Amino acid sequence: MESAREAARGYWNRRAEGYDAAMDRMEGLLFGDARRRLCGDARGRTLEVAVGTGRSLGLYPEDTELTGVDLSPGMLDRARARAARLGVQADLREGDAQDLPFPDASFDTVVCALSLCSVQDVEQAVAEMRRVLRPGGRMLLLDHVRPTFWPLLWLMMGVQFLQDRLEPEAGEQMLGRPLPVVREQGLTVEHTVRAKGGLMEMVTARRP
């Protein structure tokens, strides 16, 4: 686990400089305004898991008390610079989605946008997000998942094949789906949206 964590940290540190340029093209095409809609539903004390370069920082309601964690110091450097440019107050710190550095029931909302696909153990990450949610708190997820449109599924299977061989340290999963894991962790799913041939899925769930 530790060696995989360090490999992933190194990979995302290397990716940090060019990450936003790559995501600007891909996110607009595949996800539209989904990130904005997701973050707009956050309330109260909010944790963004795998905050990356801070692409969501300017999208939260003004009264949100925001904390963000990421495995990569390189990504966090860019997130802090973005927060300063936007005038956003956020506690941005290094942390692992699979071992969140917060007490139980610390947050009203936990958000993870386009990042669970890069977590080695999705079940553990969702369990950790559930743990730090207060009872009645909401989990908001957005990710690319296993497509339902078969030509797109074949394409993503090819991408996964190449990813596993060329950049295995990234740990990216192109064919996963967090929704069943959320249900298995005992959260109540309130709303789901799936689009783009099943490639994109948004999930809103509540901790009982």
Side-chain angles (χ1 to χ4, degrees), residues 10-65:
Y11 173 81
W12 291 109
N13 281 339
R14 294 191 298 274
R15 284 285 310 275
E17 183 175 355
Y19 182 78
D20 282 322
M23 286 296 290
D24 285 346
R25 294 189 292 270
M26 186 192 78
E27 190 168 340
L29 177 65
L30 295 180
F31 299 101
D33 68 346
R35 185 191 291 268
R36 180 179 297 277
R37 289 186 283 128
L38 185 83
C39 296
D41 285 338
R43 297 292 183 271
R45 294 196 66 201
T46 296
L47 171 67
E48 183 173 347
V49 175
V51 68
T53 60
R55 295 178 65 83
S56 302
L57 292 179
L59 305 179
Y60 290 100
E62 289 186 3
D63 59 351
T64 302
E65 184 182 343

Side-chain angles (χ1 to χ4, degrees), residues 32-194:
D33 68 346
R35 185 191 291 268
R36 180 179 297 277
R37 289 186 283 128
L38 185 83
C39 296
D41 285 338
R43 297 292 183 271
R45 294 196 66 201
T46 296
L47 171 67
E48 183 173 347
V49 175
V51 68
T53 60
R55 295 178 65 83
S56 302
L57 292 179
L59 305 179
Y60 290 100
E62 289 186 3
D63 59 351
T64 302
E65 184 182 343
L66 185 60
T67 300
V69 296
D70 200 272
L71 186 65
S72 163
M75 290 284 195
L76 284 170
D77 286 345
R78 284 157 178 80
R80 294 186 182 109
R82 189 190 299 266
R85 288 196 308 271
L86 296 174
V88 171
Q89 296 295 317
D91 176 9
L92 301 173
R93 61 177 78 177
E94 190 171 338
D96 186 349
Q98 300 162 106
D99 186 19
L100 294 172
F102 306 104
D104 296 355
S106 297
F107 296 96
D108 302 298
T109 308
V110 175
V111 177
C112 192
L114 304 180
S115 296
L116 269 180
C117 54
S118 301
V119 174
Q120 181 182 20
D121 188 337
V122 173
E123 289 80 5
Q124 178 63 22
V126 173
E128 278 291 278
M129 288 190 280
R130 182 190 188 280
R131 179 183 66 79
V132 302
L133 266 178
R134 64 167 179 79
R138 301 171 80 201
M139 184 183 295
L140 308 176
L141 305 179
L142 168 67
D143 227 316
H144 60 78
V145 298
R146 187 182 185 92
T148 53
F149 181 54
W150 65 265
L152 190 54
L153 174 59
W154 285 5
L155 174 63
M156 296 309 292
M157 290 172 67
V159 172
Q160 184 73 71
F161 178 85
L162 292 174
Q163 180 77 45
D164 290 345
R165 281 147 186 81
L166 299 178
E167 296 179 322
E169 67 276 20
E172 291 202 62
Q173 298 299 316
M174 306 295 176
L175 304 171
R177 195 181 182 200
L179 179 59
V181 180
V182 170
R183 290 190 170 121
E184 288 166 6
Q185 289 293 333
L187 290 113
T188 301
V189 176
E190 296 185 328
H191 184 62
T192 65
V193 175
R194 203 164 181 190

